[in-house]
Amino acid sequence: MKKLLVGIILFLTTFSTACAVTSATTTTSTTDTTTSSETTQTTTQTTTSNTTTTNTTTTSFLTDTAPVNYEGSYCDELVVDYDYIDNLLASLTLEEKVGQMMQAEKNGVSNNDVTNYNLGSILSGGGSAPSTNDAYNWYLMYKGFQDAARNSSSEIPIIYGLDAVHGNNNVYRATMFPHNIGLGAANDPDLMERIGLITAREIRVTGMNYTFAPMIGVVQDISWGRTYESLSESADLVAGLTGAYIDGLQNYCIGASAKHFVADGGTDGGHDQGNAIMTEEEVRAIHLVPYYDAIEAGVYTIMISYSSINGEKMHASEYWIQDVLKDEMGFDGFVISDYEAIHQLPGDYYAQLVSSINAGVDMLMEPWSWKDAITNIIAAVGAGDISMNRIDDAVRRILIIKYKMGLFSEDFYDESTQTYYRLSYSEGFSTDENKAVAREAVRESLVLLKNENNALPLSKDQDVAVIGEGAVNIGIQCGGWTIGWQGDDNRSLTPGTTILAGMREAVSGTNGTVVQDIYEADTVVVVLSENPYAEYYGDNDTLTLTGPTATSTNADVLEQVLYAKSEGKKVVALILAGRPLILGQYEQFFDAIVMAWLPGTEAGHGIADVLYGDYDFTGKLPVTWPKNSTGIGMNINSVNYNPDVVLYPFGTGLSYKEENPWT
Ligand code: BGC
């Protein structure tokens, strides 16, 4: 009942605010009514009556780096005992071995199944949370499965995997970092390593040990719904950040999965799961590049892409998986299939299993069909369609990674307390220390694209209006892969600081105010956003400010832009989106333009830090920004690169200090 009431109140709040911006002549509410005990949206305009003034300087910027105390973990110093692995492998039956090759979804498997089938791994697909979504209940759920695995005939612990792709983002109250595209704009390996480490610690609070990250696809066409999961269109930029992030995760015992091998970012027209039409040289020159860095960093696992290269599905490509990735590049971790991806291969299920395993897939993410998979694989070994050597190779790889994750270490399970190794909540989860790094990441990810008429930095003595649903909506600022697979434009999706709240906090104790009514201010920050989406749901080849993935209130916000300009106000556009949007005729009405990507839970503080000039802009565009729809798909690798259809080239990023240090 309580949940229902909260839902109704939220609906009414959302509805009333949506109405409040329907016309340029409507007076909007000046109070952020979304405040809840879970959020930090508690600062109100009462702060404006204070008389203390804090001057903003544009010449002396703060440059501190949030520290992270790395205390190490129990599997830090582990050296694999290969005799142990070989003896263990030799002791397993075929059934036990094939069980180890399975990854089942937690809702598709019981604890008894885990015991009876010796399952190797469990996953939570996007949003597959325990019924009470908090870190402790994630641990209890994990513990149930882990106990079951240790009661199996092989007694081999499971690996539990989930998509912690911008922090441990399935878990309520986790620290959520900017999505990868923003981290590409920041392009700071040291920051990447700290983010990896914090994400690992927040996973460790749940006891779990495996994340399907980093995504190291090199996006070539921003129509792709997964553009924001990619760090950049530049292979070198992606490669330069890959190793640092993997180090951060794996130094803390959390297995990484570099994905999606290979050329997921190169599909024709940016279609998710589509076909990359290109020569082998192009695959190697662009898409394969970051995998060398991932392997160099010792990545434990690599996930195969749903997509194809010249019509050949990657999950069946013995050439790319066995010959190139394993034999030529020397990858010695295990290869995992993507979620039910083998179902897209030709033939029946038996044929799909045979072709993917023979191509070199070691673990099968078969959330719902794992039982069928076990039966078919055992039959295929019996029929000689899959060799025993291939099975042994796959299982040996899986066991080695389990060893590296510390699952065979004596510190893994404490008999006296019957607990699995985990960090306590206060040590690892959503701590101030973690949030400080996320705030720093937000600051570094911001890209200043235009700044005329001294629109920025804002002064803490002035009255500023902030409009647009994205300014008050945690769900929008976090994007997809947040609590649920697709994310949700829910203002209370998870605790965090909204842009409005962060800006109000910044002017607290000064003469300035932050209001939501454009009549009360000379400068208006207009937040234009995309609504959350994930994977193919986000494919969009128009990318207009009012197109299919845009937030529905954008149209009203744009009307208010025209009104504000007609009144001689300065307009700062703040864009919250997973990729560049086509600004069209509106570009001329913006005095300043800031790209904020999908900045996560600490957006409000990080954005206010830079808009008010306490910190300078340092971010640079990791992707080309098209001028019009013809320019979508144009990037630094395009043979027909045409500057006329590009609004802002790759690498653009102004700062307060210099006009444009990049050009
Ligand atoms: C995505 C992967 C993800 C997996 C598990 C798939 O749909 O392509 O990136 O890791 O689901 O959630």
Side-chain angles (χ1 to χ4, degrees):
M1 175 56 94
K2 196 172 157 212
K3 270 194 181 155
L4 186 63
L5 276 177
V6 172
I8 292 169
I9 291 166
L10 275 173
F11 170 77
L12 291 175
T13 311
T14 312
F15 182 68
S16 64
T17 307
C19 291
V21 290
T22 48
S23 105
T25 52
T26 309
T27 304
T28 55
S29 157
T30 54
T31 312
D32 178 4
T33 48
T34 60
T35 304
S36 85
S37 59
E38 303 286 12
T39 73
T40 55
Q41 298 172 28
T42 50
T43 318
T44 66
Q45 271 185 269
T46 51
T47 54
T48 60
S49 57
N50 292 344
T51 48
T52 337
T53 307
T54 308
N55 276 330
T56 303
T57 76
T58 55
T59 48
S60 158
F61 302 106
L62 301 172
T63 52
D64 56 309
T65 296
V68 173
N69 297 319
Y70 173 58
E71 291 149 16
S73 70
Y74 73 101
C75 64
D76 254 13
E77 306 292 336
L78 285 179
V79 178
V80 178
D81 178 346
Y82 288 97
D83 288 341
Y84 177 90
I85 299 291
D86 289 335
N87 289 335
L88 179 57
L89 182 64
S91 74
L92 300 178
T93 64
L94 176 61
E95 285 72 15
E96 288 168 337
K97 288 176 183 172
V98 176
Q100 285 299 305
M101 293 170 68
M102 292 300 127
Q103 184 177 64
E105 153 63 45
K106 69 107 172 151
N107 288 325
V109 73
S110 68
N111 288 2
N112 280 344
D113 288 335
V114 174
T115 307
N116 296 339
Y117 291 91
N118 283 274
L119 291 187
S121 183
I122 310 272
L123 90 146
S124 272
S128 182
S131 49
T132 302
N133 185 355
D134 64 24
Y136 190 59
N137 277 285
W138 278 87
Y139 171 71
L140 291 181
M141 178 176 80
Y142 161 80
K143 179 173 168 17
F145 287 124
Q146 200 58 279
D147 286 344
R150 289 176 54 256
N151 282 331
S152 66
S153 53
S154 70
E155 297 178 13
I156 300 173
I158 47 151
I159 299 175
Y160 199 117
L162 80 181
D163 292 272
V165 298
H166 65 131
N168 194 2
N169 42 256
N170 282 290
V171 185
Y172 185 73
R173 201 189 292 280
T175 306
M176 301 202 200
F177 296 90
H179 269 291
N180 276 351
I181 189 103
L183 301 181
N187 196 9
D188 177 347
D190 170 71
L191 175 69
M192 284 302 279
E193 184 166 353
R194 282 179 290 139
I195 293 174
L197 178 62
I198 290 169
T199 303
R201 287 175 70 91
E202 298 217 3
I203 297 171
R204 269 292 164 209
V205 173
T206 67
M208 296 180 180
N209 41 28
Y210 183 29
T211 173
F212 306 127
M215 203 275 225
I216 58 173
V218 189
V219 59
Q220 299 301 288
D221 186 325
I222 61 171
S223 312
W224 191 28
R226 306 195 79 158
T227 297
Y228 67 83
E229 295 185 64
S230 171
L231 290 153
S232 175
E233 70 191 29
S234 153
D236 290 343
L237 199 158
V238 175
L241 297 174
T242 295
Y245 186 75
I246 291 169
D247 283 347
L249 284 174
Q250 294 193 170
N251 284 346
Y252 217 83
C253 280
I254 298 297
S257 184
K259 68 187 188 183
H260 307 83
F261 187 83
V262 60
D264 54 345
T267 60
D268 195 33
H271 295 304
D272 191 41
Q273 307 187 2
N275 186 24
I277 304 167
M278 57 180 69
T279 62
E280 174 160 348
E281 287 64 39
E282 285 171 284
V283 178
R284 286 178 178 270
I286 300 173
H287 303 281
L288 202 61
V289 174
Y291 286 93
Y292 284 95
D293 298 80
I295 292 169
E296 171 82 27
V299 70
Y300 289 172
T301 81
I302 288 178
M303 188 188 293
I304 303 304
S305 180
Y306 284 110
S307 56
S308 313
I309 296 179
N310 300 322
E312 182 190 26
K313 277 279 181 197
M314 291 311 299
H315 277 82
S317 176
E318 188 175 347
Y319 175 68
W320 284 106
I321 303 176
Q322 185 62 48
D323 298 353
V324 176
L325 180 63
K326 289 182 172 174
D327 296 344
E328 181 188 318
M329 297 170 75
F331 173 60
D332 61 3
F334 71 75
V335 167
I336 185 165
S337 58
D338 202 346
Y339 199 101
E340 291 201 316
I342 65 164
H343 298 211
Q344 297 182 4
L345 300 180
D348 60 12
Y349 195 41
Y350 179 93
Q352 292 165 343
L353 287 159
V354 168
S355 53
S356 55
I357 292 171
N358 285 340
V361 173
D362 302 306
M363 182 176 278
L364 291 134
M365 193 189 290
E366 281 300 287
W368 316 104
S369 325
W370 57 269
K371 220 178 260 184
D372 242 9
I374 291 176
T375 315
N376 278 291
I377 295 168
I378 291 172
V381 174
D385 288 331
I386 300 174
S387 73
M388 202 56 215
N389 278 349
R390 179 72 269 277
I391 299 289
D392 281 344
D393 170 46
V395 178
R396 191 166 188 274
R397 286 168 178 268
I398 292 166
L399 295 179
I400 290 171
I401 295 307
K402 289 192 171 185
Y403 197 104
K404 289 184 178 175
M405 286 177 174
L407 304 189
F408 300 125
S409 150
E410 59 184 28
D411 296 331
F412 173 61
Y413 182 69
D414 183 337
E415 281 291 348
S416 62
T417 57
Q418 307 223 325
T419 51
Y420 292 96
Y421 174 80
R422 67 183 278 263
L423 289 180
S424 71
Y425 193 88
S426 60
E427 276 175 304
F429 202 76
S430 202
T431 60
D432 289 347
E433 185 187 41
N434 294 0
K435 287 181 193 162
V437 176
R439 179 176 183 161
E440 181 187 337
V442 174
R443 287 196 294 264
E444 287 198 20
S445 68
L446 302 177
V447 181
L448 180 62
L449 297 168
K450 176 178 179 183
N451 191 15
E452 290 174 358
N453 306 321
N454 296 319
L456 289 176
L458 303 172
S459 157
K460 289 182 184 171
D461 287 330
Q462 78 185 117
D463 300 327
V464 176
V466 181
I467 60 168
E469 177 61 22
V472 292
N473 193 307
I474 294 284
I476 288 178
Q477 70 191 43
C478 287
W481 297 107
T482 303
I483 306 298
W485 175 40
Q486 294 295 317
D488 193 341
D489 60 343
N490 173 346
R491 292 181 174 193
S492 305
L493 189 59
T494 192
T497 311
T498 63
I499 292 159
L500 178 68
M503 289 177 65
R504 284 188 168 161
E505 222 175 279
V507 298
S508 159
T510 71
N511 288 329
T513 62
V514 180
V515 299
Q516 289 178 281
D517 179 348
I518 66 173
Y519 296 98
E520 291 179 20
D522 294 331
T523 297
V524 185
V525 175
V526 297
V527 181
L528 293 159
S529 50
E530 276 194 302
N531 258 27
Y533 53 78
E535 302 189 40
Y536 44 88
Y537 282 86
D539 284 0
N540 171 358
D541 58 10
T542 58
L543 295 177
T544 57
L545 289 169
T546 52
T549 54
T551 300
S552 59
T553 55
N554 282 1
D556 305 317
V557 170
L558 290 169
E559 263 184 56
Q560 298 202 56
V561 167
L562 300 181
Y563 172 76
K565 283 319 286 177
S566 71
E567 291 288 299
K569 297 175 193 289
K570 290 181 192 172
V571 175
V572 176
L574 181 72
I575 301 169
L576 289 184
R579 52 196 155 185
L581 298 176
I582 304 298
L583 303 181
Q585 51 148 339
Y586 290 100
E587 193 269 342
Q588 64 188 302
F589 301 122
F590 303 138
D591 298 281
I593 303 175
V594 176
M595 183 56 174
W597 315 104
L598 298 170
T601 53
E602 309 316 306
H605 288 137
I607 288 172
D609 284 342
V610 183
L611 291 192
Y612 280 102
D614 292 334
Y615 289 78
D616 202 356
F617 284 93
T618 54
K620 307 272 181 275
L621 279 185
V623 286
T624 303
W625 195 301
K627 190 179 282 176
N628 48 42
S629 54
T630 321
I632 297 175
M634 191 73 63
N635 67 66
I636 50 168
N637 300 304
S638 307
V639 277
N640 58 344
Y641 184 84
N642 175 2
D644 293 342
V645 296
V646 169
L647 183 60
Y648 303 116
F650 170 86
T652 300
L654 308 175
S655 73
Y656 293 140
K657 281 190 217 139
E658 299 160 77
E659 248 318 283
N660 189 348
W662 170 78
T663 47

